[in-house]
Amino acid sequence: SNMRLILFFSALAGASWCLETFLDFWLHPSNPALPVDIRVPFPSLQSVKVFLESHHIEYSILLEDLQVDKKKQEMVNNQRRERDTSNFNYGAYHPLESIYAALDGLAAEYPSLVSKQEIGKSYEKRPMYILKFSTGGTNRPAIWLDAGIHSREWITQATALWTAQKIASEYGNNPSITSLLNRMDIFLLVVTNPDGYAFTHTNNRMWRKTRSKNSGSLCIGVDPNRNWDAGFGGPGASTNPCSESYHGPSANSEVEVKNVVNFIKSHGKIKAFLTLHSYSQLLLFPFGYKCTKPADYNELDTVGKAAASALASLYGTTYKVGTICSTIYQASGGSIDWSYDYGIKYSFAFELRDTGRYGFLLPASQIIPTAEETWLGLLKIMEHVRDNQS
Amino acid sequence: MQRRSAARLGPLLLLLLLPVAWGAGPEPPRADGELQVSSRLAGQAARVALHYLNYRLGSPSALRALGQVRKATVKTIPGIGHKYYLQFTTEDYKSSQNVGTCLATVLYLKRKPRPAVNINCTYTKDQKQTREDDYSFYKKLRQQTKPITGNDIPDSYGHIEPALEPAWALAVAGSSYLMWEKSTENLGYFMAQVKNVKQWITKDDSIDFDYLVILHEIPTQEMISCHLRVIWTPGHPLKVKYFCLSENQQSESEEGSGTESGSTNGIFNEEEANF
């Protein structure tokens, strides 16, 4: 009789197309041992009841009237969202809407420290939100941190969100971050590529690029980390719109990149540009577009090694430190090359866990350990910036 | 008339441009000698050696991942290619525990398609234990009356269903063959995901799986889909067949049956690398 149930529901689903009863399966038939949940529109209620009863199929009504309950549920959800930064699960991967709700939650929970700003919209018109951590002053020197420029690198958005909560909660408790925030601001862009991130949830978990249309091609998207004005169009970026490392038609052609560039330029006092990628466990500094050492090589290498050492101290996770070109590969049009050439000396890129076992599909159980260890590395760099910025 | 022929040339021009875009760098080392252990080329060569080892050992319980490169040098062999001499540590693929050190040479040949590998490793895991683990893998899979099928392993959240772990481990072993064959001095691979797995129940005593795997290609960042057929009997060479689909080129295996050039101090003592 269980088998019959499945067949019945398949028939019913089929029948619904013909008879336009518009049955909406909330729990699809999958296994004879499992129940099936159906939302039945009011006009079809009688006929469905008759069908079930005449075939001796047991049913129970879970919700009498969805309309009423839906409104109630929404209110409860909204209230819960407001209250719940302490209950927000930082150890899980979240869709874009939830991340944005968490940003609101942090700003609401730490109103004297954290504020949310929009720096522009993505190609598909999604807002790009930064969090500003500031204890006051006017246009203080600041540190920039971004994540998720490559949308499939989910550990980066998750780490950035955890970091936001960490910064907010550590102010007043950790002397280092407290003294930093008493002198400098921090700007944090958790989702640099929101269109791509949404796409990794709905269509293709491995999507990397933006979602912009390329004229003359059926292929979509530009690699946002080949689109910066630093050796643009040089080696290590593709001219093929179908490629994962397509640099785009021109530097800053991607609105997501342009929005960040505009923000940095108009702020005028950004002293460090830090960006999160995954995977490979590397701490990188310029250059990527050319294989020569930057003028500040010694200092950046020293700071980088200190940061990697601090990171490793927590769980033994080892990072390699070096220039992009010598450590990972030559790649033109990258963000930290642009920021460095623009005058932001402390430009670093992290490639977070792991080294290839799970790659982009890093288990959620590793989010918090990754964020915790990365925090130690970030703090090391930020302390150096705090103590050395001119 | 003109427009049509230009359109036809377009894709061809792009295909020609692509190798140029990548060929300019990261340059293979011009000077012979010691490499920085953190250099990408050293790590890449070490990984190639491990792909070869994992394939040849054909043991899902003894899969190894790269730990740290301890020493790397490269030599140009005129007219033949670049030969890397490597010393690196290895980790157990599942537990990340350190399981020993390897000495390997990897020769990227100018004319032959796949790198020639010579690798010797110490192994600190109890080999009797791994043989037993392999055998219980094998027994579990042989006992299937219904063929194992699955999608997205790991899933988007990095989760692997415990019931699908043996199938995933075998995919790693099979993909190792594929990744070894496809690797060049500049192109490296990781197995990103098993998109699809289907077991064939066989009448003989082999384990037979059909996979669709996604490889992550470095430095191009492309995701390459490959069909993979893996036939396994513990203690025997892994039989692997594959067919890859990619934007710009397709690659296909000859029958992989454990007789390729290269050598390891694993179970197989046959031919030395022929270079």
Side-chain angles (χ1 to χ4, degrees):
Chain A
S1 74
N2 280 341
M3 266 314 292
R4 218 184 44 175
L5 193 70
I6 301 296
L7 291 171
F8 160 75
F9 279 115
S10 305
L12 194 58
S16 79
W17 284 107
C18 303
L19 301 176
E20 295 190 322
T21 47
F22 292 115
L23 292 183
D24 178 13
F25 284 80
W26 281 16
L27 258 183
H28 286 262
S30 58
N31 181 300
L34 298 174
V36 177
D37 291 354
I38 318 175
R39 175 184 67 83
V40 184
F42 185 77
S44 315
L45 198 54
Q46 272 309 108
S47 47
V48 170
K49 273 186 171 175
V50 165
F51 199 158
L52 292 173
E53 282 157 19
S54 65
H55 287 80
H56 304 289
I57 292 173
E58 265 185 52
Y59 68 91
S60 55
I61 297 171
L62 300 173
L63 293 164
E64 285 279 353
D65 186 344
L66 204 58
Q67 191 73 21
V68 171
D69 284 284
K70 234 188 164 180
K71 286 213 172 98
K72 261 200 237 157
Q73 192 58 43
E74 256 183 69
M75 262 171 47
V76 173
N77 283 344
N78 284 334
Q79 286 170 351
R80 196 178 289 153
R81 237 178 276 150
E82 243 92 297
R83 276 176 294 152
D84 255 6
T85 59
S86 46
N87 291 346
F88 184 83
N89 185 0
Y90 289 94
Y93 294 113
H94 295 278
L96 189 65
E97 302 70 39
S98 304
I99 293 183
Y100 280 5
L103 298 178
D104 286 332
L106 283 169
E109 192 173 347
Y110 302 94
S112 52
L113 181 67
V114 183
S115 58
K116 188 184 84 171
Q117 277 176 236
E118 184 182 314
I119 63 167
K121 301 239 192 285
S122 69
Y123 182 82
E124 291 175 341
K125 301 287 181 276
R126 290 183 176 83
M128 289 176 64
Y129 293 127
I130 55 170
L131 287 182
K132 176 181 181 181
F133 298 83
S134 179
T135 59
T138 325
N139 195 222
R140 281 182 176 168
I143 292 171
W144 168 272
L145 175 60
D146 69 67
I149 193 170
H150 290 139
S151 36
R152 62 191 180 198
E153 298 167 8
W154 279 17
I155 187 59
T156 68
Q157 298 95 334
T159 294
L161 201 50
W162 182 96
T163 305
Q165 208 280 334
K166 184 70 171 173
I167 295 172
S169 61
E170 286 285 90
Y171 178 73
N173 297 313
N174 176 313
S176 191
I177 199 74
T178 303
S179 71
L180 190 149
L181 284 169
N182 284 342
R183 289 189 245 166
M184 301 180 76
D185 295 341
I186 298 175
F187 292 99
L188 176 49
L189 176 57
V190 173
V191 189
T192 308
N193 178 4
D195 296 349
Y197 191 62
F199 199 72
T200 59
H201 284 271
T202 56
N203 286 71
N204 181 354
R205 174 61 178 83
M206 299 297 183
W207 189 262
R208 167 185 168 90
K209 302 189 287 182
T210 61
R211 292 292 302 163
S212 58
K213 287 193 178 48
N214 292 308
S215 89
S217 173
L218 289 172
C219 292
I220 294 197
V222 166
D223 184 339
N225 207 32
R226 302 288 185 277
N227 190 245
W228 300 70
D229 194 4
F232 177 83
S238 175
T239 52
N240 181 355
C242 299
S243 166
E244 295 280 24
S245 58
Y246 174 50
H247 52 55
S250 58
N252 301 324
S253 63
E254 301 314 282
V255 65
E256 293 84 356
V257 171
K258 193 82 184 109
N259 288 337
V260 176
V261 170
N262 285 345
F263 177 84
I264 302 277
K265 282 185 167 176
S266 55
H267 184 279
K269 279 217 196 138
I270 304 289
K271 299 295 173 189
F273 187 95
L274 311 173
T275 185
L276 301 184
H277 287 261
S278 79
Y279 54 93
S280 279
Q281 290 172 208
L282 307 170
L283 181 45
L284 307 165
F285 51 91
F287 292 107
Y289 71 88
K290 53 186 175 182
C291 294
T292 50
K293 290 182 178 174
D296 301 293
Y297 176 86
N298 289 333
E299 185 182 357
L300 295 178
D301 190 57
T302 305
V303 175
K305 289 204 160 80
S309 182
L311 189 155
S313 71
L314 196 55
Y315 297 112
T317 308
T318 54
Y319 270 56
K320 295 204 259 280
V321 181
T323 67
I324 296 172
C325 185
S326 65
T327 315
I328 192 167
Y329 42 70
Q330 188 172 9
S332 58
S335 65
I336 68 169
D337 283 357
W338 170 79
S339 62
Y340 184 80
D341 279 345
Y342 184 69
I344 301 172
K345 176 165 52 160
Y346 300 108
S347 293
F348 288 94
F350 284 76
E351 289 275 359
L352 301 179
R353 292 195 194 179
D354 60 10
T355 53
R357 252 177 216 80
Y358 288 95
F360 301 122
L361 308 178
L362 196 69
S365 56
Q366 291 198 42
I367 294 175
I368 293 183
T370 302
E372 287 175 332
E373 67 192 10
T374 306
W375 170 245
L376 297 179
L378 286 170
L379 197 52
K380 220 12 142 198
I381 296 174
M382 296 198 293
E383 284 166 351
H384 185 89
V385 176
R386 173 197 67 197
D387 299 338
N388 287 277
Q389 43 111 359
S390 45
Chain B
M1 209 41 191
Q2 262 180 330
R3 208 176 284 158
R4 216 185 297 153
S5 53
R8 236 179 259 142
L9 272 174
L12 181 63
L13 277 174
L14 283 174
L15 278 173
L16 292 173
L17 276 172
L18 271 160
V20 171
W22 283 115
E27 296 290 306
R30 299 249 170 82
D32 284 355
E34 194 145 348
L35 291 171
Q36 279 206 306
V37 291
S38 61
S39 95
R40 173 181 90 89
L41 295 174
Q44 187 143 295
R47 235 171 255 116
V48 168
L50 276 179
H51 288 327
Y52 176 75
L53 180 74
N54 283 330
Y55 157 62
R56 289 302 299 263
L57 292 179
S59 163
S61 314
L63 290 168
R64 274 157 256 207
L66 180 62
Q68 303 294 322
V69 176
R70 292 279 178 240
K71 200 162 159 68
T73 48
V74 65
K75 221 184 238 182
T76 305
I77 302 179
I80 304 227
H82 292 132
K83 189 168 178 184
Y84 287 71
Y85 298 80
L86 305 154
Q87 186 186 1
F88 53 90
T89 62
T90 58
E91 299 176 350
D92 180 72
Y93 203 88
K94 262 212 80 188
S95 70
S96 301
Q97 297 264 24
N98 185 298
V99 288
T101 317
C102 297
L103 291 172
T105 62
V106 177
L107 175 59
Y108 295 108
L109 298 145
K110 283 199 201 258
R111 256 163 270 115
K112 250 181 127 179
R114 65 167 93 88
V117 176
N118 196 320
I119 180 167
N120 285 295
C121 301
T122 62
Y123 192 51
T124 56
K125 240 176 131 180
D126 179 6
Q127 292 192 44
K128 183 160 163 283
Q129 185 61 54
T130 59
R131 270 197 292 272
E132 281 176 18
D133 291 340
D134 271 354
Y135 190 66
S136 46
F137 255 14
Y138 174 74
K139 242 185 18 189
K140 221 183 291 174
L141 293 170
R142 282 302 299 164
Q143 280 161 2
Q144 295 290 132
T145 45
K146 226 176 55 161
I148 289 176
T149 58
N151 290 306
D152 291 348
I153 312 157
D155 67 15
S156 288
Y157 306 89
H159 175 70
I160 300 178
E161 244 349 273
L164 291 171
E165 276 217 39
W168 176 75
L170 215 47
V172 175
S175 297
S176 298
Y177 173 72
L178 155 56
M179 294 188 288
W180 164 52
E181 286 224 322
K182 282 178 76 65
S183 292
T184 68
E185 195 165 2
N186 277 313
L187 285 178
Y189 297 89
F190 296 89
M191 192 191 88
Q193 192 181 40
V194 174
K195 207 66 191 142
N196 192 269
V197 57
K198 187 178 156 208
Q199 182 183 13
W200 296 100
I201 305 289
T202 61
K203 293 200 184 73
D204 60 28
D205 42 346
S206 66
I207 300 295
D208 194 335
F209 276 104
D210 225 330
Y211 295 102
L212 181 63
V213 296
I214 314 281
L215 301 184
H216 179 209
E217 184 181 78
I218 303 281
T220 61
Q221 295 293 341
E222 301 297 328
M223 306 307 286
I224 316 275
S225 296
C226 300
H227 286 279
L228 196 65
R229 183 74 175 269
V230 180
I231 298 171
W232 177 56
T233 320
H236 288 75
L238 213 54
K239 283 202 181 77
V240 184
K241 270 201 268 207
Y242 68 84
F243 176 71
C244 293
L245 312 154
S246 127
E247 300 271 290
N248 308 307
Q249 85 258 43
Q250 288 179 345
S251 55
E252 198 172 338
S253 59
E254 289 137 40
E255 188 100 15
S257 58
T259 56
E260 289 70 24
S261 65
S263 75
T264 162
N265 73 333
I267 303 167
F268 307 101
N269 297 321
E270 308 110 79
E271 69 276 350
E272 291 292 317
N274 52 352
F275 54 90

